[in-house]
Amino acid sequence: PMSKKGGARQTNKKSPLPPLPAPPAAISACAAYERKKQRAKDARVKLNDSIERLAVAISLGGTQSRERGNQLTSILSPPPTSKLAELRAETMQIIADCEHSSE
């Protein structure tokens, strides 16, 4: 194209402009998202640790129930018609249920 003075107009062939830096709001949102991801990861780790501790506690409870059952079996042997025999049978059933639920 021609300039006002009649000469050929030079086109500006500069290299493309560098990308604009991200606005502060975008940087802030990105940082907030990263913090949120880290909090979620920390929460998952904490949850997994709690689940493992709970599993150990349940297993221990089952073991203790089994041991109490064994002790009761060896200590108590009342006549089959007594009230104590009925209570013993109920107690043994409860202990057996605890053992099965802990597995």
Side-chain angles (χ1 to χ4, degrees), residues 35-47:
R35 286 192 304 270
K36 183 178 179 181
K37 278 184 8 183
Q38 186 61 45
R39 280 195 308 268
K41 182 179 178 182
D42 294 344
R44 284 191 302 274
V45 168
K46 189 174 180 181
L47 177 63

Side-chain angles (χ1 to χ4, degrees), residues 85-97:
E86 291 174 33
L87 291 174
R88 179 184 174 275
E90 289 175 19
T91 302
M92 295 307 291
Q93 183 59 46
I94 291 170
I95 289 172
D97 292 343

Side-chain angles (χ1 to χ4, degrees), residues 28-85:
S28 177
C30 184
Y33 176 71
E34 291 300 321
R35 286 192 304 270
K36 183 178 179 181
K37 278 184 8 183
Q38 186 61 45
R39 280 195 308 268
K41 182 179 178 182
D42 294 344
R44 284 191 302 274
V45 168
K46 189 174 180 181
L47 177 63
N48 288 338
D49 289 343
S50 296
I51 290 170
E52 287 178 26
R53 286 193 305 271
L54 181 60
V56 169
I58 289 171
S59 177
L60 177 62
T63 301
Q64 289 174 339
S65 291
R66 189 171 21 262
E67 287 300 314
R68 281 193 299 274
N70 291 340
Q71 288 175 353
L72 283 174
T73 301
S74 65
I75 294 172
L76 300 176
S77 54
T81 57
S82 72
K83 179 68 175 169
L84 188 56

Side-chain angles (χ1 to χ4, degrees), residues 1-11:
M2 300 294 278
S3 67
K4 290 182 183 179
K5 295 183 180 181
R9 186 173 169 188
Q10 294 182 353
T11 57

